[in-house]
Structures are given as structure tokens and as C-alpha cells.
Amino acid sequence: MHGSKTMVRSLLEGLLAGSSVDGKADLAVFPSFPYLSLTESILSGSHIQWGGQTLNPNAQGAHTGETSGSMLVDMGCKYVLVGHSERRAIYGESDTDVAARFKAALDAGLEPVLCVGETLEEREAEQTEAVVGRQLDAVINSVGIDAFSRATIAYEPVWAIGTGLTATPQQAQSVHAFIRDKLSSLNVIIAGQLRILYGGSVNSSNAAELFAQSDIDGGLVGGASLTAEDFLAIYSAVA
Ligand code: PGA
């Protein structure tokens, strides 16, 4: 819940000026719903994609205040985040709710970006793989492994989001490898092609080392994506 028309315009114009279609990384932004129209008008036809931050699991109907997948498609979105830790923790989305949103995204023709990750208590109790495995299983059991050919996963340890604490490259790589291995046991090709992003206090100083890990395919960036300068410094860190 950051931004304004002025901020969105300056951020997107800055990103367009500082990135290119033949850059090494794909770029996408996830503005708050009120700014999707402005985002579409600025980015349409460019190399930068955009998406929503969540969606309602229902296709349409009387759901005051909610936004459907087809509405996001109508606004030119390619992607939608599902299961961001703030949705899970503050708005009570269970693993089952997240799976329903993932399915709704696919049904609407969007590519879901599924966020998974453990809390600090869960990490300290050595439950990281159990928690991430459970979050993945809820989705796999609902839509099947093949659906992951049209999805992205973001590993976001909850303790690293917005806190300034980053998982070390080794900590992140270990969970990314766990995720890829788990999906490989179901479909090696899909798991090999899947993009697994790391999120949690990514910034211009730690991005290069994180992105150099073999199973880290990019970043899901929060605070450091709010100005073009900071975001482009991370974009430039892609090897
Ligand atoms: P952060 O946010 O980069 O500010 O930690 C990440 C996120 O909210 O996904």
C-alpha cells in the first residue's frame, strides 16, 4: 500500500528509461489496484510487464471490494501474486485459500507468482522445509504439477520481508534447491524450467550474490522497488 499517481508515473518512466528489451532480466511491476490503469497506459507495448498483488478466488459476482482475475487480465496484467506473507498473516489466507487463488489466476489466463516462506519461529524450530513443503503441497494437490509450467514461485522468508534482514545466499539457495527438488520428483522438466525468485530485503548490495546461486532465478523486491534508482541497481546486478 505504497504510492500515488505521481510516484507510479516517476517510477515507471524511470524503469523504462533505465532498462531495455534485450536486458538479461525480465522486469515486472505489481502496483496497487488503483494504479493498474495508469500502469497499463505507461507500460503498454514496452518490455516491462505488470501484475496484481492478489485476486479473489471467485470468477465474478457479488464480492464488494474484491478484484477478479479476469479484471486483472482486462487491465493488461500478465501476472498476479498469490499467497504473499502479508495476505497470509494479516488477511488470514490459509493454504487452501491460496491454492484457490492460484487456480483462479490460471483459469483467468494469468501467471500466478506463488509466495511461500517460513516465519522466524518456524525457522528456529527447524520447520522451514516442512512449512514450505506444506504450502507447495496445498497448491500441487489442487492444480497438479503441470500447472507450474505457467507459474513462478517466490521464496520469501517472512522474517526477511521488510525487516532489513536478508537470508544469506546459502540459506536461500538451500530452500530454493529444496523447492526445485520437490517439484523435480513430480516433473523434472517443469521443475528445471520453473523460475524461483527470492524475496526479503533484496537490495543493490546483496542482489548479485543472491542471484549468483544456482537455484535463485531472480528477485521479488519490495522496499527497494519503490524508486527507479534502487530498483534499477538490483536489475543491473543480474549476472
Ligand atoms: P522487501 O519486501 O523487499 O521490502 O523485504 C518483499 C516483499 O514484500 O515481497
Side-chain angles (χ1 to χ4, degrees):
M1 217 158 64
H2 292 282
S4 63
K5 281 194 281 190
T6 307
M7 176 272 207
V8 168
R9 187 174 291 284
S10 116
L11 172 61
L12 298 183
E13 286 172 354
L15 292 182
L16 282 174
S19 61
S20 78
V21 69
D22 22 279
K24 288 179 182 144
D26 293 332
L27 263 182
V29 291
F30 294 80
S32 298
F33 291 149
Y35 305 110
L36 280 173
S37 179
L38 178 61
T39 298
E40 182 181 33
S41 72
I42 296 172
L43 296 184
S44 202
S46 80
H47 59 285
I48 305 179
Q49 306 293 330
W50 59 98
Q53 297 182 356
T54 184
L55 79 169
N56 188 274
N58 294 284
Q60 63 161 56
H63 295 280
T64 302
E66 294 294 295
T67 298
S68 70
S70 63
M71 290 174 178
L72 296 179
V73 170
D74 201 22
M75 301 312 293
C77 292
K78 178 172 182 192
Y79 301 105
V80 63
L81 302 181
V82 294
H84 188 280
S85 73
E86 287 148 21
R87 301 299 314 170
R88 294 178 189 262
I90 309 175
Y91 298 100
E93 289 182 19
S94 65
D95 291 341
T96 311
D97 294 329
V98 172
R101 283 168 166 76
F102 188 102
K103 181 170 185 315
L106 291 174
D107 289 347
L110 293 161
E111 281 191 39
V113 179
L114 171 65
C115 304
V116 295
E118 82 288 1
T119 63
L120 186 57
E121 296 69 38
E122 289 163 341
R123 173 162 283 266
E124 286 175 344
E126 298 185 1
Q127 290 299 304
T128 298
E129 292 187 0
V131 169
V132 170
R134 188 201 73 220
Q135 292 171 335
L136 291 173
D137 280 337
V139 177
I140 296 167
N141 292 339
S142 158
V143 297
I145 183 66
D146 290 359
F148 283 80
S149 63
R150 291 191 288 137
T152 296
I153 293 178
Y155 168 57
E156 298 208 303
V158 178
W159 48 273
I161 298 177
T163 56
L165 295 173
T166 321
T168 64
Q170 294 70 28
Q171 281 174 322
Q173 164 58 27
S174 148
V175 182
H176 281 234
F178 165 75
I179 294 170
R180 205 179 304 279
D181 285 351
K182 181 174 172 61
L183 297 186
S184 286
S185 69
L186 299 169
N187 188 315
V188 172
I189 294 170
I190 288 176
Q193 290 170 346
L194 180 74
R195 280 200 258 211
I196 309 177
L197 311 181
Y198 169 78
S201 299
V202 175
N203 60 40
S204 58
S205 321
N206 59 32
E209 210 188 337
L210 285 162
F211 297 165
Q213 304 301 309
S214 57
D215 288 298
I216 301 184
D217 304 313
L220 183 55
V221 186
S225 70
L226 297 177
T227 69
E229 190 188 3
D230 288 346
F231 196 19
L232 287 169
I234 294 169
Y235 174 75
S236 315
V238 176

mmCIF file of all heavy atoms in Angstrom, residues 146-166:
data_model
loop_
_atom_site.group_PDB
_atom_site.id
_atom_site.type_symbol
_atom_site.label_atom_id
_atom_site.label_comp_id
_atom_site.label_asym_id
_atom_site.label_seq_id
_atom_site.Cartn_x
_atom_site.Cartn_y
_atom_site.Cartn_z
ATOM 1 N N ASP A 146 1.581 -29.950 -13.518
ATOM 2 C CA ASP A 146 1.677 -29.353 -14.855
ATOM 3 C C ASP A 146 1.379 -27.847 -14.827
ATOM 4 O O ASP A 146 1.892 -27.098 -15.660
ATOM 5 C CB ASP A 146 0.722 -30.040 -15.836
ATOM 6 C CG ASP A 146 1.190 -31.453 -16.162
ATOM 7 O OD1 ASP A 146 2.251 -31.860 -15.631
ATOM 8 O OD2 ASP A 146 0.509 -32.155 -16.924
ATOM 9 N N ALA A 147 0.555 -27.426 -13.870
ATOM 10 C CA ALA A 147 0.195 -26.005 -13.785
ATOM 11 C C ALA A 147 1.417 -25.130 -13.527
ATOM 12 O O ALA A 147 1.417 -23.935 -13.838
ATOM 13 C CB ALA A 147 -0.823 -25.795 -12.670
ATOM 14 N N PHE A 148 2.486 -25.737 -12.977
ATOM 15 C CA PHE A 148 3.673 -24.941 -12.661
ATOM 16 C C PHE A 148 4.471 -24.555 -13.906
ATOM 17 O O PHE A 148 5.416 -23.790 -13.821
ATOM 18 C CB PHE A 148 4.539 -25.657 -11.612
ATOM 19 C CG PHE A 148 3.948 -25.531 -10.240
ATOM 20 C CD1 PHE A 148 2.893 -26.356 -9.836
ATOM 21 C CD2 PHE A 148 4.391 -24.550 -9.367
ATOM 22 C CE1 PHE A 148 2.316 -26.215 -8.594
ATOM 23 C CE2 PHE A 148 3.813 -24.402 -8.118
ATOM 24 C CZ PHE A 148 2.770 -25.236 -7.724
ATOM 25 N N SER A 149 4.059 -25.079 -15.079
ATOM 26 C CA SER A 149 4.700 -24.600 -16.315
ATOM 27 C C SER A 149 4.216 -23.190 -16.630
ATOM 28 O O SER A 149 4.776 -22.508 -17.479
ATOM 29 C CB SER A 149 4.403 -25.546 -17.477
ATOM 30 O OG SER A 149 3.011 -25.564 -17.720
ATOM 31 N N ARG A 150 3.159 -22.741 -15.952
ATOM 32 C CA ARG A 150 2.629 -21.381 -16.187
ATOM 33 C C ARG A 150 2.656 -20.577 -14.891
ATOM 34 O O ARG A 150 1.771 -19.773 -14.626
ATOM 35 C CB ARG A 150 1.193 -21.464 -16.706
ATOM 36 C CG ARG A 150 1.094 -22.027 -18.113
ATOM 37 C CD ARG A 150 -0.303 -21.841 -18.674
ATOM 38 N NE ARG A 150 -1.267 -22.735 -18.038
ATOM 39 C CZ ARG A 150 -2.490 -22.367 -17.643
ATOM 40 N NH1 ARG A 150 -2.899 -21.130 -17.791
ATOM 41 N NH2 ARG A 150 -3.303 -23.247 -17.097
ATOM 42 N N ALA A 151 3.663 -20.821 -14.062
ATOM 43 C CA ALA A 151 3.699 -20.137 -12.767
ATOM 44 C C ALA A 151 5.140 -19.835 -12.378
ATOM 45 O O ALA A 151 6.086 -20.337 -12.989
ATOM 46 C CB ALA A 151 3.050 -21.024 -11.700
ATOM 47 N N THR A 152 5.272 -18.995 -11.372
ATOM 48 C CA THR A 152 6.567 -18.664 -10.769
ATOM 49 C C THR A 152 6.408 -18.894 -9.276
ATOM 50 O O THR A 152 5.318 -18.727 -8.738
ATOM 51 C CB THR A 152 6.889 -17.165 -11.038
ATOM 52 O OG1 THR A 152 7.026 -16.979 -12.444
ATOM 53 C CG2 THR A 152 8.145 -16.707 -10.357
ATOM 54 N N ILE A 153 7.487 -19.290 -8.630
ATOM 55 C CA ILE A 153 7.464 -19.390 -7.166
ATOM 56 C C ILE A 153 8.395 -18.325 -6.604
ATOM 57 O O ILE A 153 9.461 -18.058 -7.172
ATOM 58 C CB ILE A 153 7.915 -20.798 -6.697
ATOM 59 C CG1 ILE A 153 6.867 -21.844 -7.118
ATOM 60 C CG2 ILE A 153 8.127 -20.837 -5.182
ATOM 61 C CD1 ILE A 153 7.229 -23.274 -6.744
ATOM 62 N N ALA A 154 7.972 -17.694 -5.524
ATOM 63 C CA ALA A 154 8.852 -16.757 -4.816
ATOM 64 C C ALA A 154 9.044 -17.283 -3.397
ATOM 65 O O ALA A 154 8.072 -17.427 -2.654
ATOM 66 C CB ALA A 154 8.248 -15.363 -4.782
ATOM 67 N N TYR A 155 10.308 -17.590 -3.057
ATOM 68 C CA TYR A 155 10.610 -17.970 -1.672
ATOM 69 C C TYR A 155 10.882 -16.689 -0.895
ATOM 70 O O TYR A 155 11.821 -15.954 -1.204
ATOM 71 C CB TYR A 155 11.824 -18.904 -1.600
ATOM 72 C CG TYR A 155 12.324 -19.069 -0.175
ATOM 73 C CD1 TYR A 155 11.452 -19.531 0.829
ATOM 74 C CD2 TYR A 155 13.620 -18.732 0.192
ATOM 75 C CE1 TYR A 155 11.874 -19.649 2.143
ATOM 76 C CE2 TYR A 155 14.050 -18.852 1.501
ATOM 77 C CZ TYR A 155 13.172 -19.308 2.470
ATOM 78 O OH TYR A 155 13.582 -19.404 3.774
ATOM 79 N N GLU A 156 10.023 -16.434 0.074
ATOM 80 C CA GLU A 156 10.151 -15.208 0.864
ATOM 81 C C GLU A 156 10.082 -15.549 2.349
ATOM 82 O O GLU A 156 8.982 -15.641 2.911
ATOM 83 C CB GLU A 156 9.018 -14.241 0.522
ATOM 84 C CG GLU A 156 9.026 -13.790 -0.919
ATOM 85 C CD GLU A 156 8.402 -12.402 -1.047
ATOM 86 O OE1 GLU A 156 7.248 -12.230 -0.637
ATOM 87 O OE2 GLU A 156 9.091 -11.503 -1.514
ATOM 88 N N PRO A 157 11.246 -15.758 2.980
ATOM 89 C CA PRO A 157 11.212 -15.996 4.424
ATOM 90 C C PRO A 157 10.560 -14.800 5.116
ATOM 91 O O PRO A 157 10.976 -13.660 4.890
ATOM 92 C CB PRO A 157 12.691 -16.152 4.797
ATOM 93 C CG PRO A 157 13.485 -15.652 3.638
ATOM 94 C CD PRO A 157 12.607 -15.692 2.431
ATOM 95 N N VAL A 158 9.536 -15.064 5.907
ATOM 96 C CA VAL A 158 8.741 -13.970 6.481
ATOM 97 C C VAL A 158 9.619 -13.052 7.327
ATOM 98 O O VAL A 158 9.445 -11.826 7.311
ATOM 99 C CB VAL A 158 7.574 -14.559 7.320
ATOM 100 C CG1 VAL A 158 6.767 -13.444 7.960
ATOM 101 C CG2 VAL A 158 6.686 -15.439 6.457
ATOM 102 N N TRP A 159 10.597 -13.629 7.997
ATOM 103 C CA TRP A 159 11.471 -12.849 8.882
ATOM 104 C C TRP A 159 12.388 -11.905 8.098
ATOM 105 O O TRP A 159 13.023 -11.035 8.692
ATOM 106 C CB TRP A 159 12.312 -13.788 9.763
ATOM 107 C CG TRP A 159 12.983 -14.902 9.014
ATOM 108 C CD1 TRP A 159 12.444 -16.125 8.720
ATOM 109 C CD2 TRP A 159 14.284 -14.889 8.432
ATOM 110 N NE1 TRP A 159 13.337 -16.868 7.996
ATOM 111 C CE2 TRP A 159 14.478 -16.140 7.814
ATOM 112 C CE3 TRP A 159 15.321 -13.952 8.376
ATOM 113 C CZ2 TRP A 159 15.648 -16.479 7.135
ATOM 114 C CZ3 TRP A 159 16.484 -14.285 7.710
ATOM 115 C CH2 TRP A 159 16.642 -15.530 7.095
ATOM 116 N N ALA A 160 12.450 -12.066 6.794
ATOM 117 C CA ALA A 160 13.340 -11.208 5.991
ATOM 118 C C ALA A 160 12.573 -10.139 5.217
ATOM 119 O O ALA A 160 13.177 -9.298 4.568
ATOM 120 C CB ALA A 160 14.151 -12.066 5.022
ATOM 121 N N ILE A 161 11.235 -10.162 5.291
ATOM 122 C CA ILE A 161 10.450 -9.220 4.484
ATOM 123 C C ILE A 161 10.305 -7.899 5.229
ATOM 124 O O ILE A 161 9.732 -7.854 6.323
ATOM 125 C CB ILE A 161 9.053 -9.792 4.155
ATOM 126 C CG1 ILE A 161 9.196 -11.066 3.334
ATOM 127 C CG2 ILE A 161 8.221 -8.757 3.405
ATOM 128 C CD1 ILE A 161 7.861 -11.739 3.018
ATOM 129 N N GLY A 162 10.834 -6.851 4.620
ATOM 130 C CA GLY A 162 10.672 -5.505 5.174
ATOM 131 C C GLY A 162 11.413 -5.283 6.476
ATOM 132 O O GLY A 162 11.194 -4.291 7.165
ATOM 133 N N THR A 163 12.295 -6.210 6.842
ATOM 134 C CA THR A 163 12.971 -6.115 8.137
ATOM 135 C C THR A 163 14.407 -5.657 8.002
ATOM 136 O O THR A 163 15.047 -5.319 9.000
ATOM 137 C CB THR A 163 13.017 -7.504 8.808
ATOM 138 O OG1 THR A 163 13.656 -8.412 7.905
ATOM 139 C CG2 THR A 163 11.621 -8.004 9.132
ATOM 140 N N GLY A 164 14.944 -5.668 6.773
ATOM 141 C CA GLY A 164 16.360 -5.374 6.602
ATOM 142 C C GLY A 164 17.218 -6.619 6.803
ATOM 143 O O GLY A 164 18.408 -6.626 6.510
ATOM 144 N N LEU A 165 16.616 -7.708 7.325
ATOM 145 C CA LEU A 165 17.345 -8.973 7.461
ATOM 146 C C LEU A 165 17.202 -9.738 6.154
ATOM 147 O O LEU A 165 16.090 -9.893 5.664
ATOM 148 C CB LEU A 165 16.725 -9.849 8.559
ATOM 149 C CG LEU A 165 16.780 -9.343 9.988
ATOM 150 C CD1 LEU A 165 15.960 -10.282 10.875
ATOM 151 C CD2 LEU A 165 18.238 -9.309 10.442
ATOM 152 N N THR A 166 18.293 -10.200 5.596
ATOM 153 C CA THR A 166 18.207 -10.991 4.365
ATOM 154 C C THR A 166 18.680 -12.395 4.682
ATOM 155 O O THR A 166 19.611 -12.564 5.471
ATOM 156 C CB THR A 166 19.183 -10.450 3.292
ATOM 157 O OG1 THR A 166 19.168 -9.043 3.368
ATOM 158 C CG2 THR A 166 18.793 -10.890 1.913
#
